Amino acid sequence: MSEIRTRFAPSPTGYLHIGGLRTALYTYLIARKYNGKFLLRIEDTDQDRLVEGATDVIYKTLKLVGLKHDEGPDIGGPYGPYIQSERKPIYQKYARELVERGGAYYCFCSKQRLDNLRNEAAKNNEVFRYDGHCRNLSKEEVEEKLQTGMPYVIRQKVPASGTTSFTDELFGTITVENSTLEDGVLLKSDGLPTYNLANVVDDHLMKINPVVRGSEYLSSTPKYNLIYESFGWEIPRYIHLSPVMKEQGKKLSKREGDASFEDFYNKGYLKEAILNYVALLGWSPGDDREFFTLEELEQAFDIKGLSKSPAIFDINKLRWMNSEYIKKLAPEEFHEMALPYYKEAGLPPEINLRRISSLIQSRTEVLNEIPDMIGFLKELPEYEAELFVHKKSKTTLENSYENLAKAINVLKDLLEWNEEMLHKALFDLIAELGVKNSLVLWPVRIAASGKKVTPGGAIEILGLLGKEESMKRLQIGLDKLKKSM
Ligand code: GLU
């Protein structure tokens, strides 16, 4: 078997789509698995869709997640250039050669003529297809038009009859009637190729095998193969990947915040967690293992585990996986990651941030939710007295009032304010009263935080707030209770 060379060939759109990341990952893994080469090729021939800085986003993201390419625009390689807009003369040469070989032809149809055909088709509710008007121009006619400088495109000359088949490694054998394929444009009037030509020329010249890409290209692959055949080139192996969807029939959308890798990353999903989750979108290791580092994926990946059905992107599953990755971080690492969010939350300067980190690490699912989780430490939120009533803790407004008053009484005299002393004071009180812990701890925690759910319990929260702020809050809670009874 010849060397395995795969490529990731994104169009620079300004962000890396989750589905694109998955394609990149599988493509990378296939190369690694067989000690092959992984190439990056930038497909920027659609000049209308160019976005400033978009290529840098691709380099940055691949680097960030660790998908290191062996050849590519930024590092070079023996088959460059690896940016399609820099390969213009190559496509022009091959487009002309394809004409010579009878696989393509010059088309001089004006925009006007094509628009008319398009309108006509729309009127009759038909799909527009080029009618082959220029297909049979003689060599002389073509020469003459070229001489006068008439604008042209080069179109593929698809055989009028017969069928074209190929076998995809995942989807099996696909056969299409040639009569259903259009004489699509290969070289545009601006001299740049369409995907139809560029993918074939580049994959051939860059010795790509297998070609791994999204299944949206499955149905047009026979057309590309006709081009390979016209050139007399060997057709590569194909592995088309099923799409990643939000739900059946619904795409992920950048606008709704669930399509772009960067958006997730910036929200505080760890890159390792995203990559791990993405690996499982359409691939399974064959057992119930779920956690993989990139190195582990390199070992475990096998195309046999790829699925043909669309993968459903489940944000809750990603959240869960992210929280598991967060739990596994070393405390120091988590603390470093959390710091910017503490800043965002605007906590008072004297607060013990390390203690907060140790309290929230195991309950953080996504880092950007930290300010919300701990915002109550900065400012006591508005809350209703009803929050003191909790069936499971057996608290009522009345007993909360009583026990909170007693807690205030013992806490106000505490000389040293730390968790140890707070613990002792409150548990001595609980023992003295002979009540369930929650009868005292629940109202204290509610008054200290104003929230039903908090990271940490009453003692930790009081410890973080310090004496002055704690006593103020406990008193507010007591007043609230008094008013409500
Ligand atoms: N440039 C194409 C895209 O971004 C991918 C083409 C390919 O993988 O062959 O959709």
Side-chain angles (χ1 to χ4, degrees):
M1 197 162 56
S2 56
E3 188 191 21
I4 296 288
R5 291 172 54 83
T6 63
R7 62 12 178 224
F8 176 50
S11 302
T13 55
Y15 67 98
L16 188 58
H17 192 276
I18 284 291
L21 176 63
R22 200 223 22 198
T23 302
L25 174 63
Y26 290 174
T27 309
Y28 167 88
L29 291 173
I30 291 169
R32 287 292 161 267
K33 169 107 188 164
Y34 299 100
N35 296 318
K37 292 275 188 293
F38 172 60
L39 281 69
L40 175 63
R41 181 170 79 219
I42 301 294
E43 304 208 325
D44 60 345
T45 58
D46 192 346
Q47 297 287 308
D48 298 338
R49 286 177 46 202
L50 288 191
V51 180
E52 175 94 16
T55 311
D56 289 335
V57 172
I58 296 169
Y59 301 142
K60 231 177 66 193
T61 313
L62 292 183
K63 190 162 173 204
L64 186 71
V65 295
L67 301 184
K68 204 167 156 297
H69 48 282
D70 303 300
E71 295 170 28
D74 49 342
I75 53 173
Y79 300 94
Y82 296 89
I83 294 192
Q84 288 187 329
S85 58
E86 292 173 12
R87 299 172 63 79
K88 208 164 155 177
I90 302 176
Y91 305 120
Q92 291 176 345
K93 168 177 165 251
Y94 282 102
R96 270 183 231 116
E97 188 179 327
L98 197 61
V99 173
E100 305 273 294
R101 288 173 172 271
Y105 59 92
Y106 288 89
C107 168
F108 299 92
C109 287
S110 64
K111 182 170 181 306
Q112 177 78 51
R113 177 168 193 277
L114 295 173
D115 283 347
N116 287 345
L117 287 178
R118 224 169 258 128
N119 292 339
E120 192 98 349
K123 240 193 287 167
N124 301 332
N125 270 332
E126 283 165 6
V127 184
F128 165 74
R129 272 181 55 191
Y130 180 64
D131 61 355
H133 184 73
C134 295
R135 199 172 150 115
N136 297 314
L137 290 178
S138 69
K139 228 177 154 142
E140 294 69 34
E141 283 171 298
V142 169
E143 256 337 293
E144 201 185 297
K145 289 182 196 292
L146 288 178
Q147 291 289 323
T148 63
M150 211 168 169
Y152 66 89
V153 299
I154 290 181
R155 286 184 183 272
Q156 185 172 1
K157 194 179 229 169
V158 176
S161 58
T163 59
T164 303
S165 291
F166 78 102
T167 302
D168 179 88
E169 310 224 343
L170 211 60
F171 288 85
T173 300
I174 309 246
T175 303
V176 299
E177 300 278 341
N178 293 335
S179 61
T180 64
L181 302 175
E182 192 192 14
D183 283 357
V185 173
L186 299 179
L187 198 72
K188 297 178 285 186
S189 53
D190 63 3
L192 279 166
T194 58
Y195 177 77
N196 298 1
L197 177 67
N199 91 86
V200 174
V201 169
D202 287 350
D203 286 341
H204 171 74
L205 294 178
M206 297 178 183
K207 298 196 162 53
I208 300 302
N209 203 3
V211 167
V212 184
R213 63 184 168 205
S215 61
E216 65 270 29
Y217 295 101
L218 198 55
S219 61
S220 34
T221 298
K223 244 175 24 181
Y224 313 145
N225 287 345
L226 287 167
I227 302 179
Y228 279 96
E229 280 168 5
S230 299
F231 279 122
W233 292 342
E234 192 187 330
I235 291 174
R237 290 163 56 206
Y238 287 107
I239 303 172
H240 284 90
L241 303 170
S242 60
V244 179
M245 313 287 281
K246 184 180 317 217
E247 48 197 74
Q248 217 65 38
K250 198 157 178 241
K251 287 188 180 166
L252 297 174
S253 104
K254 164 109 171 104
R255 208 154 35 109
E256 289 173 37
D258 54 15
S260 143
F261 168 84
E262 288 79 7
D263 287 350
F264 284 108
Y265 183 66
N266 292 335
K267 276 183 213 162
Y269 287 87
L270 307 194
K271 57 185 197 289
E272 294 83 1
I274 305 175
L275 199 71
N276 189 156
Y277 179 60
V278 160
L280 301 173
L281 287 172
W283 173 77
S284 137
D287 52 32
D288 50 15
R289 238 174 112 190
E290 285 187 298
F291 290 95
F292 293 91
T293 61
L294 183 56
E295 291 70 36
E296 287 164 349
L297 284 171
E298 289 174 24
Q299 296 302 319
F301 190 81
D302 194 309
I303 59 171
K304 287 197 197 84
L306 290 173
S307 162
K308 275 198 292 193
S309 25
I312 303 297
F313 181 88
D314 179 351
I315 184 71
N316 290 323
K317 183 92 198 266
L318 174 60
R319 286 180 67 89
W320 167 78
M321 185 157 268
N322 200 53
S323 71
E324 292 299 314
Y325 269 83
I326 288 178
K327 276 183 209 148
K328 279 190 260 185
L329 292 171
E332 189 53 38
E333 243 180 319
F334 175 75
H335 185 64
E336 286 298 316
M337 285 186 184
L339 279 177
Y341 298 95
Y342 296 153
K343 201 162 167 203
E344 185 185 323
L347 295 177
E350 66 281 3
I351 204 157
N352 183 347
L353 297 180
R354 276 178 199 279
R355 182 64 180 128
I356 298 181
S357 290
S358 70
L359 290 173
I360 68 171
Q361 178 168 1
S362 66
R363 346 168 108 239
T364 305
E365 293 190 334
V366 186
L367 296 174
N368 79 342
E369 292 169 1
I370 290 177
D372 258 3
M373 282 166 77
I374 58 168
F376 72 91
L377 292 170
K378 177 178 182 236
E379 197 178 284
L380 181 67
E382 292 285 332
Y383 68 99
E384 298 295 326
E386 280 312 304
L387 217 51
F388 285 103
V389 182
H390 187 236
K391 217 164 152 194
K392 211 167 138 230
S393 305
K394 298 211 177 350
T395 55
T396 60
L397 291 174
E398 288 74 18
N399 65 25
S400 290
Y401 178 76
E402 268 171 46
N403 293 327
L404 186 56
K406 288 177 186 148
I408 291 176
N409 220 17
V410 298
L411 295 175
K412 75 174 190 325
D413 296 331
L414 265 193
L415 293 177
E416 248 184 286
W417 193 268
N418 56 40
E419 286 186 22
E420 202 188 327
M421 297 312 286
L422 287 162
H423 188 276
K424 184 167 183 321
L426 289 175
F427 275 85
D428 282 354
L429 175 65
I430 288 164
E432 190 191 312
L433 297 175
V435 294
K436 226 168 115 83
N437 300 350
S438 61
L439 277 179
V440 172
L441 297 180
W442 181 272
V444 171
R445 191 180 59 84
I446 295 298
S449 69
K451 285 183 75 174
K452 186 165 178 187
V453 183
T454 53
I459 292 163
E460 291 85 0
I461 293 170
L462 294 178
L464 283 168
L465 290 173
K467 185 167 184 184
E468 194 187 333
E469 176 69 15
S470 295
M471 295 315 292
K472 205 168 88 196
R473 290 184 179 200
L474 297 182
Q475 192 57 51
I476 292 172
L478 195 68
D479 295 346
K480 202 184 277 279
L481 280 163
K482 190 166 184 184
K483 259 195 250 147
S484 68
M485 287 187 304

